[in-house]
Amino acid sequence: MKTKEDKKAKASSTKFLLVSSLLIVILAAFLSRALPRLASLSHHLSPGLRYQTHSNSMSYTKELEVAQLAVQRAAILTKRVFHEKAKGTVSKDDKSPVTIGDFGAQALIISALKANFPDDEIVAEEEAAQLREDANLRQTIWNLVKSTQLSDSAAESLLGGGIKDEEAMLTMIDYGNSKGGAKGRIWAIDPIDGTKGFLRGGQYAVCLALMVDGDVKVGVLGCPNLPIDDAAPLTGGMESGQTDEGRGVLLSGVLGQGATSRPLTTGTLAKEQSISMKAITDVAAATFCESVEAGHSSHGDQADIAKLLGITNPSVRMDSQAKYASIARGAGDIYLRLPVKATYQEKIWDHAAGDLIVREAGGAVTDIHGKRLNFGIGRTLADNKGVVAAPVAAHPQVLKAVQDVLSKK
């Protein structure tokens, strides 16, 4: 027979269960409403704060800092060569030019990567075979490399300091022989993207990107001849005659964390600021960026696409991934690289960093068929043809115009 105490205990237990159940229902209802709002809010936070909502993401903090400083140090070397009348130009097997700056910058970047991430693979544009056969060329490059360092000792130390001798320099250059692929950590380097622009005194870029399992996670572009001011509009004449005054910018992006720019320096990293693509309300008012070299992208097709879209602003021609950098910070709007030869395959080092930075700045980047660029196949974008980069909202309209024009060829 139950006592009075037993009945009171049972009543108390029942009351507790009812209250607990009610609290659980209220909490579930609150979370169902709050979580989507929090997720939406996270996209409006600064890149650093936004990252905190992605607990399963990697921050890549060290990779980013090393990459930024490595590109900044390499840019010092390239600027020294840029101001020389004789840039030590030689020709590669495909007849494209390469300078002493290309070799020196690649050696310095790879040295920094190997000091910090010794097991990572590297896909880079240059190789040292020609330097092993040409003692004078090798010595000229070594003199540049051994005398280039960051003015901040802590920053230079983070990169592992200098390269010890000529043979080590050649070894560093040849570490860039990875075949690429969709597995593991692989860096892509273009020590001087836009060598022809570099030679004529125009735009060029020092480019570095980290891919993990074929997906670009970190991208850095050093553009020594772009204006420091992110708001500076693009003008004609950027393909030559560039000076140092008010120029030199370092752009970076980390997947899921946004994109930034900062002035290039010779020492520690300067203060950064977030960048974003310019919102386009009327595509007809947009500005195109296109390659200087007609052999890199079809100027005639681009003119037809501009006409179809109602764009009357003259296209701004410049070399290198400086085009990606320019649209990412709102100085330009649309970048097209239209196929000239059916058999040509773009190199991954020509696009990896720029692709990520534009996407993190609010853009969309695809090929002419609307497919994302695939960096996991090898050293080339074998699965893609051409490049269409534009603000997310405008990309479908631009892509359709591209396809309409190219379908008539």
Side-chain angles (χ1 to χ4, degrees):
M1 187 172 180
K2 294 182 179 179
T3 65
K4 184 184 270 188
E5 286 74 22
D6 290 335
K7 290 180 180 180
K8 286 176 87 175
K10 183 177 180 180
S12 178
S13 177
T14 302
K15 184 177 180 181
F16 174 79
L17 289 172
L18 286 172
V19 171
S20 299
S21 299
L22 182 60
L23 286 173
I24 290 171
V25 170
I26 292 172
L27 181 60
F30 170 79
L31 289 175
S32 68
R33 289 175 174 269
L35 287 178
R37 290 174 180 266
L38 288 172
S40 176
L41 178 62
S42 72
H43 291 284
H44 299 282
L45 297 175
S46 68
L49 290 174
R50 186 166 70 240
Y51 169 67
Q52 295 174 14
T53 69
H54 296 274
S55 58
N56 292 328
S57 299
M58 289 189 65
S59 66
Y60 295 102
T61 301
K62 182 178 180 182
E63 288 86 346
L64 177 62
E65 184 179 16
V66 170
Q68 290 169 328
L69 288 171
V71 167
Q72 185 156 275
R73 182 172 69 172
I76 297 171
L77 184 148
T78 66
K79 287 296 284 186
R80 292 171 62 190
V81 178
F82 182 83
H83 290 300
E84 294 292 331
K85 289 184 179 180
K87 296 178 173 61
T89 310
V90 295
S91 293
K92 295 188 284 190
D93 292 340
D94 63 359
K95 307 304 180 185
S96 62
V98 58
T99 72
I100 56 175
D102 292 82
F103 291 116
Q106 180 165 313
L108 286 173
I109 293 172
I110 292 179
S111 174
L113 296 179
K114 283 298 178 182
N116 287 277
F117 315 108
D119 297 327
D120 289 4
E121 292 187 29
I122 300 169
V123 173
E125 185 168 12
E126 314 305 341
E127 57 183 34
Q130 191 170 8
L131 307 188
R132 296 183 188 279
E133 298 173 359
D134 189 332
N136 288 334
L137 181 61
R138 182 173 67 246
Q139 182 64 47
T140 299
I141 296 167
W142 171 239
N143 288 340
L144 275 171
V145 168
K146 71 180 181 180
S147 59
T148 300
Q149 61 183 15
L150 294 170
S151 60
D152 182 80
S153 59
E156 179 69 20
S157 178
L158 179 62
L159 298 184
I163 299 173
K164 67 177 182 177
D165 54 36
E166 284 186 34
E167 184 58 36
M169 176 186 74
L170 300 180
T171 299
M172 291 300 161
I173 292 172
D174 281 339
Y175 274 135
N177 64 356
S178 169
K179 295 180 179 179
K183 296 293 183 182
R185 289 168 52 101
I186 304 173
W187 295 85
I189 303 171
D190 194 341
I192 296 181
D193 182 31
T195 303
K196 290 183 178 180
F198 180 78
L199 292 171
R200 83 169 80 84
Q203 297 299 324
Y204 72 95
V206 181
C207 314
L208 180 59
L210 170 64
M211 300 167 293
V212 179
D213 296 335
D215 193 24
V216 185
K217 304 294 187 182
V218 178
V220 177
L221 293 175
C223 302
N225 290 337
L226 279 182
I228 292 173
D229 182 4
D230 291 329
L234 296 180
T235 60
M238 298 193 78
E239 65 267 26
S240 62
Q242 301 301 298
T243 63
D244 288 347
E245 186 176 354
R247 299 181 186 277
V249 64
L250 185 70
L251 293 95
S252 310
V254 177
L255 187 64
Q257 300 181 44
T260 64
S261 76
R262 49 164 50 92
L264 276 169
T265 76
T266 58
T268 190
L269 295 172
K271 183 180 179 181
E272 67 177 21
Q273 64 180 23
S274 294
I275 57 172
S276 61
M277 295 193 73
K278 187 167 57 180
I280 299 179
T281 55
D282 180 7
V283 173
T287 298
F288 274 122
C289 292
E290 66 176 344
S291 299
V292 174
E293 302 293 328
H296 292 168
S297 183
S298 173
H299 291 167
D301 289 339
Q302 178 141 332
D304 291 340
I305 292 164
K307 184 177 180 180
L308 185 59
L309 291 169
I311 295 175
T312 57
N313 292 329
S315 293
V316 177
R317 293 179 178 176
M318 65 176 75
D319 299 273
S320 82
Q321 290 185 65
K323 295 183 286 292
Y324 280 114
S326 294
I327 68 170
R329 60 185 190 156
D333 302 301
I334 301 168
Y335 165 41
L336 302 182
R337 190 172 175 97
L338 305 173
V340 176
K341 298 179 181 178
T343 57
Y344 182 73
Q345 295 181 359
E346 299 283 348
K347 309 299 191 295
I348 63 173
W349 53 75
D350 285 330
H351 298 278
D355 168 86
L356 176 65
I357 290 170
V358 166
R359 289 189 289 113
E360 286 300 310
V365 184
T366 70
D367 68 3
I368 61 171
H369 302 298
K371 297 189 297 183
R372 277 279 308 279
L373 303 187
N374 186 347
F375 295 97
I377 295 179
R379 292 173 68 91
T380 69
L381 296 173
D383 195 39
N384 301 108
K385 288 295 178 186
V387 176
V388 180
V392 168
H395 189 274
Q397 184 180 354
V398 176
L399 178 63
K400 184 179 185 305
V402 169
Q403 293 173 341
D404 287 348
V405 168
L406 297 184
S407 68
K408 297 175 182 177
K409 295 186 69 176

